[in-house]
Amino acid sequence: MKKTGKKLPAGRTTFRHGNLREALLNAAIDLAREGGPTAVVLREATRRAGVSPNAAYRHFENHEALLHAVRATALATLARMIEIEMVQAKRIRKPAESARAALRAVGTGYLKFALGETGLFRAAFSVREPVANDHDPEKQGDSGLNPFELLSSALDQMTQAGVLPKSRRPHAEYLAWSAVHGMAYLVIDGPLNAASPKDVEHLAERLLLMVEKGL
Amino acid sequence: MKKTGKKLPAGRTTFRHGNLREALLNAAIDLAREGGPTAVVLREATRRAGVSPNAAYRHFENHEALLHAVRATALATLARMIEIEMVQAKRIRKPAESARAALRAVGTGYLKFALGETGLFRAAFSVREPVANDHDPEKQGDSGLNPFELLSSALDQMTQAGVLPKSRRPHAEYLAWSAVHGMAYLVIDGPLNAASPKDVEHLAERLLLMVEKGL
DNA sequence: TTCCTATGTGGACAGTGTACACGTCTTTTG
DNA sequence: CAAAAGACGTGTACACTGTCCACATAGGAA
């Protein structure tokens, strides 16, 4: 009798894991969810997957690569969050109202994500790597657009509906995103940290009005 | 003969360092300047100060405390950056114009800091700890105000000059800061990373107009 | 001078990312 | 169908980190 099962790390019967990459990524996502990007520890991920530390290197070039993967799925989640908010906007008949609602959907989706999935939000944006012009499918929502592109599309709707003058359309996403991203930061790490959800909602309302009006 | 100079870590003759705290802080600031908050490594700071790792614990409770100190000086630097921009605004006679200029000074100072001292900027804002209602002198500029308070004062000027309706004054700093902070982020880590300084300047201009108009 | 106390050193430990050499299984190929 | 090839995991080891503990050294107060 050949003692094949020499020392298979408890909890597994086969030498091969099956789909370790996914297991590692999920573990890493959980870690990020619980403690943000700094909590994404390669060794801990392998531990949770029931595998030796070095096994990770067969699926991710290094720690950074793992973090980038987490970031990608975080962005995809954000995109879906925004898409959900957009559903209602699309139902609105009047194009002008619908477009405006779409823009606000981006804002509210963004903020909901920042508040509801703070760890993932941090992981998504603490890594240095531009989002625009990045068509990585891993970063997209169900519509095939990443968060930045969703914002762009909302702004496009607005120009088409005549709400946003064509002359002010170019690069408008940067202005809108600045406002929303900045507020997300203030809420999770800044002075609005202690504010009540009600206050935050109210401020977000005002912020989006400012954007609409000032754009 | 008593071999007093047993093993004084080369480059120093006295057992005491003199002002190690400052030396460590300066080293840590340099590290942050070069590589952001993650580059602030306690052991490296002690190395640069020519001292053993544990010596740091006589002056900072732990690594986090050191980082907080760095963050404080970074905020103070930011405050001074803003104050410099504000000088010109104060020279303007017409109150309305002067107030508006003050608000823009906050924005441009903020962005100049983010661009010129990216590492420090990251260090200042990657740490979770609200700035408002924090009257730590270490975080203030020469005027005795921290960056957040400088923004508040600019907005106050605006209401006094009648440029910003009193009804919209409350909490207006959060909206303005959101916009400016968000753009700073976009420029150093986001899609505006690759943009030319000229383009950034132009966008900043538009952003500040948006704030003025939409506030 | 003598003791107290602030300041620095040395050694140790757990935890991290990662390189290298080596087992173990699946898949392809002659 | 056996054998070689390649994919996947393990084990050991190293450098590096933050931090604890016991000890060494001086500067000032008694």
Side-chain angles (χ1 to χ4, degrees):
Chain A
M1 83 191 203
K2 218 170 138 230
K3 49 174 177 178
T4 316
K6 201 161 60 177
K7 40 196 154 180
L8 280 183
R12 203 162 15 115
T13 64
T14 54
F15 179 76
R16 298 291 171 78
H17 178 287
N19 55 351
L20 183 51
R21 196 199 132 95
E22 199 185 328
L24 286 172
L25 183 50
N26 284 334
I29 290 172
D30 284 351
L31 288 170
R33 190 180 256 118
E34 295 162 18
T38 63
V40 176
V41 165
L42 194 147
R43 285 176 102 110
E44 175 62 20
T46 61
R47 231 169 273 138
R48 296 194 178 191
V51 103
S52 87
N54 280 331
Y57 289 87
R58 299 287 172 195
H59 303 275
F60 298 94
E61 196 176 336
N62 51 32
H63 176 142
E64 201 190 346
L66 178 61
L67 232 166
H68 270 71
V70 170
R71 168 187 151 83
T73 72
L75 284 173
T77 308
L78 169 55
R80 270 184 224 104
M81 212 95 159
I82 292 175
E83 286 165 356
I84 288 172
E85 298 291 322
M86 276 186 152
V87 170
Q88 299 173 25
K90 281 185 181 155
R91 287 225 200 81
I92 300 176
R93 294 262 174 69
K94 281 183 67 181
E97 290 311 309
S98 179
R100 266 199 262 263
L103 179 62
R104 324 181 76 192
V106 177
T108 59
Y110 207 96
L111 287 171
K112 277 189 184 174
F113 181 69
L115 276 169
E117 289 283 20
T118 307
L120 285 182
F121 182 85
R122 283 213 184 84
F125 292 108
S126 71
V127 180
R128 175 147 87 258
E129 185 200 29
V131 192
N133 301 326
D134 182 342
H135 299 281
D136 179 355
E138 298 292 321
K139 294 171 187 160
Q140 297 167 178
D142 299 325
S143 63
L145 300 178
N146 69 34
F148 190 80
E149 294 165 336
L150 284 167
L151 170 58
S152 290
S153 80
L155 291 169
D156 285 343
Q157 281 184 249
M158 287 181 71
T159 25
Q160 272 165 24
V163 181
L164 174 63
K166 229 173 189 169
S167 64
R168 292 208 220 101
R169 173 65 188 82
H171 304 302
E173 36 269 270
Y174 298 122
L175 307 185
W177 196 359
S178 290
V180 172
H181 181 85
M183 175 151 290
Y185 173 83
L186 289 192
V187 169
I188 66 177
D189 277 339
L192 292 180
N193 199 6
S196 72
K198 188 111 187 129
D199 287 346
V200 170
E201 201 180 326
H202 187 231
L203 272 171
E205 197 79 11
R206 277 179 71 187
L207 184 81
L208 294 174
L209 280 176
M210 173 182 97
V211 171
E212 270 187 44
K213 208 166 99 184
L215 215 57
Chain B
M1 79 195 206
K2 215 170 140 232
K3 49 176 178 179
T4 315
K6 202 161 60 178
K7 39 197 155 178
L8 281 182
R12 198 157 24 107
T13 64
T14 54
F15 179 76
R16 304 287 186 157
H17 178 285
N19 56 349
L20 182 52
R21 196 198 133 93
E22 199 186 328
L24 286 173
L25 182 51
N26 283 334
I29 290 173
D30 284 352
L31 289 170
R33 191 179 254 117
E34 295 161 18
T38 63
V40 177
V41 165
L42 194 146
R43 286 177 103 108
E44 175 63 19
T46 60
R47 231 170 272 135
R48 295 194 179 192
V51 104
S52 88
N54 281 329
Y57 288 87
R58 299 288 173 194
H59 303 273
F60 297 94
E61 196 175 334
N62 52 29
H63 177 183
E64 202 189 347
L66 178 60
L67 231 166
H68 271 69
V70 170
R71 168 187 151 85
T73 72
L75 284 173
T77 308
L78 170 55
R80 271 184 224 104
M81 213 94 159
I82 293 175
E83 286 165 357
I84 288 173
E85 297 291 321
M86 276 186 151
V87 171
Q88 299 173 26
K90 282 185 181 156
R91 287 224 199 83
I92 300 175
R93 293 261 173 68
K94 279 182 70 180
E97 290 311 308
S98 179
R100 266 199 262 262
L103 180 63
R104 324 181 76 191
V106 176
T108 59
Y110 206 96
L111 288 171
K112 277 189 184 174
F113 182 68
L115 276 169
E117 289 283 18
T118 307
L120 285 182
F121 182 86
R122 284 214 183 84
F125 293 107
S126 72
V127 179
R128 173 149 88 255
E129 186 200 28
V131 192
N133 303 326
D134 181 344
H135 298 282
D136 180 356
E138 297 292 320
K139 293 171 187 160
Q140 297 167 176
D142 300 325
S143 63
L145 301 178
N146 69 34
F148 190 81
E149 294 165 337
L150 284 167
L151 170 58
S152 290
S153 79
L155 291 168
D156 286 342
Q157 280 183 250
M158 285 179 72
T159 23
Q160 272 166 24
V163 182
L164 175 63
K166 229 173 189 169
S167 64
R168 293 207 219 104
R169 173 65 190 80
H171 303 302
E173 35 269 270
Y174 298 121
L175 307 185
W177 195 359
S178 289
V180 172
H181 182 85
M183 176 151 290
Y185 173 83
L186 289 194
V187 169
I188 66 176
D189 278 338
L192 292 181
N193 199 5
S196 72
K198 187 111 189 132
D199 286 347
V200 171
E201 201 180 327
H202 187 231
L203 273 171
E205 196 80 11
R206 278 179 70 187
L207 184 82
L208 294 174
L209 280 176
M210 172 181 98
V211 172
E212 270 186 42
K213 208 166 100 184
L215 215 56

